[in-house]
């Protein structure tokens, strides 16, 4: 399953995680936290670069989350944006200007002071055409001006009001001007040895082996407890699990089959605790509404009702995840939980097809309408086992009711080109969601030609809701708008919404004070009792 | 025509061949669907872009990567740089392509050299043995074993070895990822070397056992061919000991085709095994080429293609020279 990540604005260590079952959270002992020991983590591939502006992979954000800091961060419990490098901020009444004040005594890890000119430099770099960061630049389109008023105050000016502007400013990693201003930005050596302002500083990067960070003793904020964070690069998940079992790693993400079949032994559970959380995002099948077969909501709803989503979830992912009925994150207030996903009901689905006028008029075993046969191509990315199985099940189901579906796997580069050309009937893929989602990019009718609205969804009411919500700064009002939007999604079924996945994690039990927050695990509060410490 | 003339002619022929190969590769890669600039943008989707903006950003990225010029001009620029061995920088991390290749080439060459050496070392005696024992039960057992080995997919064998010999649940005999243990940097040379070789055991085994079957059958066939020749019968009739007949008269002649195969192994040295490398987390060429093709990292793909083309051309030349050296009946005149 291909994900399109927007991890830049997920401020936190891992992705947004939510607890669903009461899990064995280890209570901290009576003793007070002590420093020492390392945390050895698994990453599945090498980051391309550790330059936070040009990087596009999730590995970079996992690592740089320890090294670089942003003006604001999300509170672990409330998910609100709270001060980090900034001590305060003010928003003008017209919502076009944001004035940030930096904390006093901020320092880069090389001892130089961190000032407002670093902040200005960061945003000017992102806006600079010759910097290889198109994926970020698109967010700052309406950011007109960034100016330093003095050493600790920065003013941002926007051309239009937008409720996510604060997150855009607050979520960007601030980079040191005195390092990056020398030489070419894209090829800058700091991409291989970052210097940030965060609690951990970079030690070394052994290509293909490991990346090591150590405690920054001159950190401006609360000193971290663990001495080192080591990221082991192991590309194969089977091997990674073996390495974990050997005690050479402390923390890794598990696959559903590993959770169910390979980590159930008593020996494993003595050494490791397992955690689960929902990941903000969902998988879906998109129906190209430009095609005569899919331009009727009844047909799309029928398609959804031909899918036994509960059974698929149980069989393919051991039930880890949840069937969703709309485009928002299940755990956010935007998602209306009173809307139940359409049930699996092939009889009713077939009746819906009849209602929509798709009947087999020439008795050739395939339904047709106005001379068009109900045949379509289902496109997926090759190598995705999940897509492979879902498509096979659907094809089988549809063949019983006179709908002919063919399956076409494509490699990712071709798949994205086909999306851009709008040249498909149906696709299966997934979206990752930021904490506060804005449906504009995927659902607004202005985005059908070149944007991410590749299925060509256009609905007047939905457009109005999107436009209004973008300039609505009161969260409660936005929630009401979005719940209405969710209802439209459910009725129209532009997508068949499939599943929100669960993230599964195993962690060595020697770590204390492990809490599961909506934003995931926060490693910065962990510590290990002196008697259990493993590394010096 | 003597050796010198022949060599000069062959080396001059390499130039147009090389141009042809790179031109075709360049066109195929750049004209295949998928656009690196658009793919880069995709990674930040669900943002707040309008249509116009998207187009602008993609165009800007194309300019940055130099993809806005017509394709023949791009080829010209690329060729001009390549003549000075400058392959440009990767789209992925903007590091010089040669630096990235230099980082990964040693381990791939090492793995390939060791496994090719082992394949030859084992295949020749196995082939000779089954040729001499042709038709006996021993030969049949050997054949069956070789075919079984040949048909076991190496990624499956690799995972089994890791499960059973890599600690965790069963025997803890071998390290299962990477090419050295962490914290070995300060150790003495010998223990570092031992640690490194210990890491290579499993991947080398997985790379070797499949090739063994193919080559030993090849050797067996060549040997059977030779054993039927008159001069072998003559040698036996003269009363020479069987060992001498087999190893001196027969094997030397049947080894010729196998030796000449070696020239063709040269380009193969460059390409790592994608599957084995990703299973054992070995940062080699296989991973690099695979990722480069998937993400349409043109400079990297072109550099690897160019180097393999050159190695192939040189390999063929070496093969031809080896033929002449190994078999006096072949001359340069016959080639001309």
């Amino acid at each position: 399953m291909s994900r399109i990540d927007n991890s830049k604005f997920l401020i936190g260590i891992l992705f947004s995680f939510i607890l669903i079952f009461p899990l064995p959270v280890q209570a901290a002992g009576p003793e007070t936290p002590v420093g020492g020991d390392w945390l050895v983590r698994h990453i599945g591939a090498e980051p391309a670069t550790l330059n936070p502006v040009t990087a596009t992979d999730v590995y970079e954000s996992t690592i740089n989350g320890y090294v670089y800091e942003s003006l604001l961060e999300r509170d672990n419990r409330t998910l609100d944006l709270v001060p980090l490098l900034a001590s305060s901020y003010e928003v003008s009444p017209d919502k076009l200007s944001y004035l940030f004040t930096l904390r006093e005594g901020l320092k880069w890890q090389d001892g130089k002071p961190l000032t407002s000119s670093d902040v200005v430099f960061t945003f000017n770099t992102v806006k600079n055409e010759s910097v290889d960061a198109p994926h970020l630049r698109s967010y700052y389109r309406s950011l007109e001006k960034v100016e330093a008023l003095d050493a600790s105050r920065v003013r941002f000016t926007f051309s239009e009001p937008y409720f996510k502007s604060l997150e855009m400013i607050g979520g960007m990693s601030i980079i040191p001007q005195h390092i990056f201003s020398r030489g070419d930005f894209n090829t800058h050596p700091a991409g291989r040895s970052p210097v940030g302002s965060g609690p951990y500083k970079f030690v070394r990067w052994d290509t293909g082996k490991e990346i090591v960070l150590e405690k920054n003793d001159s950190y401006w904020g609360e000193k971290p407890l663990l001495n080192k964070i080591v990221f082991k690069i192991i590309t194969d998940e089977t091997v990674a699990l073996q390495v974990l079992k050997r005690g050479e790693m402390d923390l890794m993400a598990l696959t559903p089959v590993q959770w169910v079949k390979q980590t159930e032994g008593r020996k494993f559970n003595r050494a490791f605790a397992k955690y689960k959380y929902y990941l903000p995002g969902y998988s879906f099948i998109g129906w190209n509404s430009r095609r005569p077969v899919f331009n009727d909501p009844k047909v799309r709803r029928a398609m959804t009702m031909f899918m036994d989503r509960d059974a698929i979830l149980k069989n393919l992912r051991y039930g880890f995840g949840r069937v969703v009925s709309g485009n928002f994150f299940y755990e956010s207030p935007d998602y209306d939980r009173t809307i139940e996903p359409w049930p699996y009901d092939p009889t009713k689905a077939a009746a819906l097809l009849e209602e929509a006028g798709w009947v087999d008029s020439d008795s050739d075993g395939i339904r047709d309408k106005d001379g068009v046969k109900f045949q379509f191509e289902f496109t997926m990315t090759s190598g995705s086992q999940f897509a492979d199985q879902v498509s096979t099940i659907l094809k089988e189901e549809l063949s019983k009711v006179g709908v002919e579906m063919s399956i076409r796997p494509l490699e990712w580069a071709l798949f994205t080109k086909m999306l851009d050309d709008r040249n498909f009937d149906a696709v299966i893929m997934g979206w990752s969601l930021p904490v506060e989602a804005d449906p504009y990019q995927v659902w607004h009718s202005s985005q059908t030609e070149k944007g991410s609205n590749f299925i060509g969804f256009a609905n007047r009411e939905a457009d109005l809701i999107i436009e209004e919500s973008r300039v609505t700064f009161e969260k409660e009002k936005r929630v009401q708008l979005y719940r209405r939007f969710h209802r439209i999604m459910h009725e129209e079924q532009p997508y068949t919404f499939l599943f929100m996945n669960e993230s599964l994690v195993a962690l060595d039990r020697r770590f204390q004070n492990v809490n599961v927050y909506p934003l995931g695990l926060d490693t910065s509060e962990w510590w290990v009792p002196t008697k259990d410490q493993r590394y010096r | 025509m003597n050796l010198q003339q022949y060599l000069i002619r062959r080396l001059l022929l390499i130039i147009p061949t090389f141009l042809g190969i790179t031109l075709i590769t360049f066109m195929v890669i750049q004209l295949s669907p998928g656009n690196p600039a658009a793919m880069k943008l995709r990674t930040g989707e669900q943002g707040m872009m309008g249509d116009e903006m998207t187009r602008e950003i993609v165009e800007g990225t194309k300019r940055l990567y130099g993809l806005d010029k017509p394709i023949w001009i791009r080829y010209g620029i690329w060729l001009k740089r390549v003549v000075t061995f400058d392959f440009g920088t990767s789209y992925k991390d903007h590091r010089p392509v040669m630096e990235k290749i230099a980082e990964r080439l040693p381990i791939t060459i090492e793995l390939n050299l060791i496994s090719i050496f082992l394949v030859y070392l084992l295949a020749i005696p196995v082939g000779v043995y089954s040729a001499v024992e042709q038709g006996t039960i021993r030969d049949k057992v050997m054949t069956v074993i070789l075919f079984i080995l040949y048909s076991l997919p190496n990624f499956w064998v690799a995972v089994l070895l890791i499960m059973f010999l890599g600690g965790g649940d069963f025997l803890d005999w071998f390290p299962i990822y990477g090419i050295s243990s962490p914290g070995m940097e300060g150790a003495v040379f010998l223990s570092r070397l031992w640690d490194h070789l210990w890491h290579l055991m499993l991947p080398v085994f997985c790379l070797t056992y499949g090739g063994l079957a193919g080559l030993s059958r090849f050797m067996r066939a060549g040997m059977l061919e030779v054993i039927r020749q008159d001069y072998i019968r003559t040698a036996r009739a003269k009363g020479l000991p069987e060992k001498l007949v087999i190893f001196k008269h027969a094997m030397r002649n049947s080894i010729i085709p196998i030796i000449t195969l070696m020239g063709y192994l040269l380009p193969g040295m460059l390409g790592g095994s994608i599957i084995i490398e990703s299973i054992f987390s070995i940062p080699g060429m296989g991973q690099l080429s695979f990722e480069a093709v998937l993400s349409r990292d043109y400079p990297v793909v072109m550099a690897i293609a160019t180097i393999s083309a050159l190695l192939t051309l040189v390999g063929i030349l070496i093969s031809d020279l080896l033929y002449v050296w190994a078999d006096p009946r072949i001359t340069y005149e016959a080639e001309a």
Side-chain angles (χ1 to χ4, degrees):
Chain A
M1 161 95 33
S2 309
R3 303 200 144 274
I4 296 180
D5 276 321
N6 178 12
S7 54
K8 280 286 161 200
F9 297 104
L10 290 176
I11 311 161
I13 306 301
L14 298 165
F15 285 99
S16 272
F17 288 164
I18 298 273
L19 191 56
I20 42 163
F21 298 114
L23 290 172
V25 173
Q26 298 151 22
E31 52 217 305
T32 45
V34 290
D37 213 352
W38 306 356
L39 170 66
V40 184
R41 303 183 53 164
H42 169 238
I43 47 173
E46 196 152 33
T49 169
L50 288 177
N51 177 330
V53 176
T54 59
T56 56
D57 53 61
V58 54
Y59 309 110
E60 172 273 336
S61 39
T62 306
I63 296 163
N64 273 342
Y66 291 94
V67 179
Y68 287 101
E69 290 173 309
S70 44
L71 292 170
L72 307 174
E73 67 177 340
R74 288 210 178 264
D75 180 273
N76 278 338
R77 286 195 170 80
T78 63
L79 296 192
D80 291 336
L81 289 163
V82 294
L84 182 63
L85 286 176
S87 57
S88 65
Y89 62 87
E90 293 162 41
V91 187
S92 67
D94 63 1
K95 312 288 185 192
L96 291 176
S97 146
Y98 293 72
L99 179 62
F100 278 77
T101 307
L102 296 177
R103 277 177 206 275
E104 286 179 17
L106 293 177
K107 274 204 191 66
W108 292 108
Q109 290 160 353
D110 60 3
K112 298 261 193 323
L114 188 162
T115 67
S116 58
S117 61
D118 290 304
V119 179
V120 174
F121 173 80
T122 300
F123 287 91
N124 286 342
T125 302
V126 174
K127 297 281 278 182
N128 182 340
E129 283 289 314
S130 66
V131 168
D132 188 10
H135 56 291
L136 279 185
R137 218 159 14 250
S138 56
Y139 292 104
Y140 297 99
R141 186 181 44 144
S142 57
L143 175 59
E144 284 197 331
K145 243 191 351 240
V146 185
E147 51 205 326
L149 305 185
D150 54 40
S152 69
R153 290 190 306 155
V154 188
R155 186 192 290 137
F156 297 81
T157 314
F158 288 86
S159 58
E160 52 188 347
Y162 180 37
F163 82 96
K164 282 173 78 87
S165 294
L166 185 64
E167 185 186 22
M168 300 295 165
I169 306 168
M172 182 68 214
S173 296
I174 303 300
I175 55 172
Q177 180 179 16
H178 67 276
I179 289 181
F180 278 107
S181 56
R182 287 195 300 269
D184 173 49
F185 188 85
N186 294 334
T187 56
H188 200 286
R192 298 281 297 177
S193 58
V195 177
S197 56
Y200 287 87
K201 53 184 193 213
F202 173 85
V203 180
R204 71 166 191 277
W205 177 348
D206 286 345
T207 302
K209 279 192 231 165
E210 58 182 18
I211 294 176
V212 181
L213 310 176
E214 71 180 359
K215 195 160 82 171
N216 171 13
D217 285 321
S218 59
Y219 182 52
W220 61 266
E222 201 175 319
K223 304 277 184 293
L225 293 160
L226 299 167
N227 284 339
K228 280 189 185 175
I229 311 283
V230 178
F231 297 88
K232 276 195 192 288
I233 302 161
I234 300 176
T235 39
D236 186 272
E237 63 207 16
T238 314
V239 175
L241 183 59
Q242 293 288 103
V243 174
L244 185 83
K245 286 179 175 178
R246 290 169 68 147
E248 291 170 31
M249 279 197 305
D250 303 322
L251 174 66
M252 80 172 270
L254 300 174
T255 59
V257 71
Q258 285 176 329
W259 178 290
V260 174
K261 303 267 186 212
Q262 294 154 26
T263 55
E264 284 301 276
R266 195 165 333 139
K267 185 179 159 196
F268 185 89
N269 285 292
R270 261 206 310 273
F272 296 94
K274 295 197 281 189
Y275 302 93
K276 311 190 253 200
Y277 344 74
Y278 280 138
L279 281 170
Y282 58 90
S283 48
F284 64 88
I285 300 170
W287 312 106
N288 191 345
S289 60
R290 297 173 188 79
R291 298 285 192 263
V293 285
F294 293 130
N295 62 9
D296 184 342
K298 277 188 183 138
V299 175
R300 299 192 296 255
R301 196 184 312 162
M303 287 291 147
T304 302
M305 292 169 94
F306 280 124
M307 304 261 317
D308 190 351
R309 288 177 287 176
D310 293 311
I312 291 172
L313 182 65
K314 215 164 113 194
N315 295 329
L316 301 189
R317 289 193 52 87
Y318 295 94
F320 291 115
R322 169 180 281 279
V323 177
V324 291
S325 61
N327 58 305
F328 296 106
F329 182 38
Y330 182 81
E331 295 287 357
S332 95
D334 302 339
Y335 186 103
D336 186 346
R337 293 196 189 188
T338 61
I339 300 174
E340 285 287 321
W342 294 108
Y344 169 62
D345 190 344
T347 326
K348 202 159 170 199
L352 275 170
L353 289 184
E354 302 273 339
E355 238 176 275
W358 290 96
V359 286
D360 184 5
S361 60
D362 53 4
S363 313
D364 65 346
I366 298 172
R367 289 173 188 269
D368 53 79
K369 181 184 173 181
D370 309 333
V372 180
K373 285 196 180 310
F374 206 136
Q375 291 162 315
F376 72 96
E377 195 174 60
F378 187 96
T379 315
M380 57 186 220
T381 43
S382 50
S384 163
Q385 215 185 344
F386 171 80
D388 212 31
Q389 289 164 316
V390 170
S391 57
T392 314
I393 293 168
L394 183 63
K395 180 180 176 166
E396 177 66 22
E397 195 72 51
L398 292 176
S399 67
K400 295 179 204 159
V401 291
V403 174
E404 198 174 300
M405 161 176 151
S406 56
I407 300 173
R408 187 172 176 215
L410 288 176
E411 119 186 75
W412 180 236
L414 286 177
F415 184 85
T416 51
K417 184 171 190 309
M418 173 216 73
L419 287 180
D420 289 341
D421 299 346
R422 311 299 193 232
N423 182 19
F424 66 93
D425 302 334
V427 287
I428 182 168
M429 55 187 293
W431 286 119
S432 281
L433 296 169
V435 179
E436 294 175 299
D438 172 10
Y440 178 83
Q441 175 67 20
V442 179
W443 301 110
H444 195 271
S445 63
S446 66
Q447 303 303 305
T448 51
E449 288 310 312
K450 277 271 175 287
S452 303
N453 188 346
F454 34 77
I455 55 159
F457 175 76
N459 177 298
R460 187 82 198 99
E461 194 191 350
D463 277 357
L464 289 173
I465 292 177
I466 292 169
E467 287 154 26
E468 191 181 340
S469 65
R470 279 165 76 85
V471 293
T472 302
F473 287 75
E474 298 80 20
K475 201 167 169 177
E476 269 315 302
K477 274 193 190 157
R478 266 206 321 272
V479 166
Q480 291 315 313
L481 287 167
Y482 283 158
R483 289 190 165 194
R484 175 69 204 130
F485 187 84
H486 183 170
R487 181 73 57 183
I488 296 171
M489 287 283 114
H490 180 65
E491 297 299 328
E492 288 279 332
Q493 285 292 296
Y495 288 172
T496 288
F497 295 94
L498 297 173
F499 316 112
M500 153 176 75
N501 280 339
E502 263 176 305
S503 177
L504 311 171
V505 179
L507 170 67
D508 190 287
R509 286 193 185 272
R510 72 179 190 277
F511 293 93
Q512 303 297 313
N513 195 27
V514 178
N515 298 302
V516 185
Y517 298 112
L519 270 182
L521 300 162
D522 182 356
T523 61
S524 66
E525 51 188 22
W526 299 355
W527 60 279
V528 181
T530 315
K531 62 177 178 16
D532 298 334
Q533 293 192 2
R534 196 174 291 176
Y535 303 97
R536 285 277 152 258
Chain B
M1 191 166 182
N2 62 12
L3 173 62
Q4 207 180 347
Q5 284 174 311
Y6 175 77
L7 257 183
I8 288 171
R9 224 190 84 212
R10 286 293 304 265
L11 288 173
L12 285 176
L13 263 177
I14 281 185
I15 296 169
T17 322
F18 175 76
L19 276 180
I21 292 174
T22 53
L23 181 66
I24 291 170
T25 316
F26 194 87
M27 295 295 162
V28 166
I29 292 172
Q30 300 241 349
L31 296 175
S32 68
N35 161 353
M39 285 171 82
K40 181 100 186 178
L41 181 70
R42 287 233 160 255
T43 54
E45 208 137 9
Q46 278 262 38
M48 43 179 288
M49 304 171 278
D51 304 354
E52 275 313 299
M53 195 65 195
T54 313
R55 228 196 333 269
E56 249 173 69
I57 289 169
V58 170
E59 288 312 314
T61 310
K62 276 188 164 174
R63 273 197 301 281
L64 188 72
Y65 292 165
L67 292 170
D68 50 338
K69 303 178 185 69
I71 192 161
W72 52 89
I73 293 181
R74 270 185 271 155
Y75 178 69
I77 294 172
W78 178 84
L79 199 62
K80 210 167 78 189
R81 282 215 312 251
V82 166
V83 173
T84 61
F85 283 100
D86 172 13
F87 285 104
T89 57
S90 156
Y91 294 159
K92 188 178 164 188
D93 52 11
H94 296 280
R95 292 171 64 210
V97 174
M98 279 322 259
E99 192 179 295
K100 287 179 81 161
I101 291 179
E103 213 170 58
R104 288 160 174 271
L105 199 54
I107 179 66
T108 294
I109 288 185
E110 181 183 9
L111 275 174
N112 281 329
L113 273 181
I114 296 176
S115 36
I116 288 168
F117 174 74
L118 283 178
V119 167
Y120 270 84
L121 191 73
L122 296 167
I124 291 173
V126 167
V128 170
Y129 181 80
S130 38
V132 173
E133 299 276 334
Q134 195 203 355
T136 63
I137 198 83
R138 279 189 291 270
D139 173 36
K140 287 201 172 92
V141 168
M142 190 92 92
T143 306
V144 169
I145 292 174
L146 283 174
F147 271 112
I148 289 173
L149 277 182
Y150 185 71
S151 50
L152 292 178
N154 64 3
F155 62 89
W156 184 70
V157 171
V159 171
L160 284 188
L161 288 172
I162 284 167
M163 296 285 285
F164 289 103
L165 304 180
D169 296 324
F170 300 97
L171 298 167
D172 185 3
W173 288 0
F174 293 99
I176 51 182
Y177 70 102
I179 49 177
S180 63
S181 303
M184 288 298 286
E185 291 77 14
V188 276
F189 175 73
L190 269 181
S191 64
R192 273 217 316 267
L193 181 72
W194 176 243
D195 173 69
H196 176 62
L197 290 176
W198 203 234
H199 275 81
L200 295 188
M201 292 267 188
L202 294 184
V204 161
F205 176 80
C206 294
L207 287 170
T208 304
Y209 76 82
L212 180 66
L215 199 73
S216 63
R217 298 307 286 178
F218 205 82
M219 184 74 209
R220 179 177 180 267
M223 194 77 184
L224 287 175
E225 189 91 1
V226 171
I227 283 179
R228 292 199 196 93
Q229 301 288 347
D230 289 347
Y231 62 87
I232 297 291
R233 199 175 316 142
T234 312
R236 284 197 177 127
K238 280 196 315 193
L240 286 178
E242 186 63 11
K243 270 212 171 84
L244 207 63
V245 173
I246 296 296
F247 289 103
K248 191 166 175 197
H249 293 249
M251 200 173 103
R252 278 176 84 171
N253 280 305
S254 56
I255 227 166
I256 290 174
I258 292 211
I259 298 255
T260 50
L261 269 183
M262 279 192 176
Y264 294 94
L265 292 172
L266 203 56
M269 288 278 174
L270 183 80
S273 156
I274 294 162
I275 294 174
I276 293 300
E277 280 181 15
S278 52
I279 289 180
F280 289 100
S281 301
I282 293 170
M285 293 294 291
Q287 275 188 20
L288 183 69
S289 353
F290 186 60
E291 282 167 19
V293 169
L294 281 191
S295 63
R296 301 289 188 268
D297 194 343
Y298 298 151
V300 175
V301 177
M302 278 313 293
I304 294 173
T306 306
I307 296 170
S308 346
L310 264 180
L311 286 179
T312 309
L313 293 171
V314 171
I316 292 172
L317 180 57
I318 290 176
S319 258
D320 289 351
L321 292 175
L322 280 175
Y323 260 117
V324 178
W325 171 78
D327 192 341
R329 287 169 303 182
I330 301 172
T331 61
Y332 298 120
E333 274 71 16
E335 286 266 327

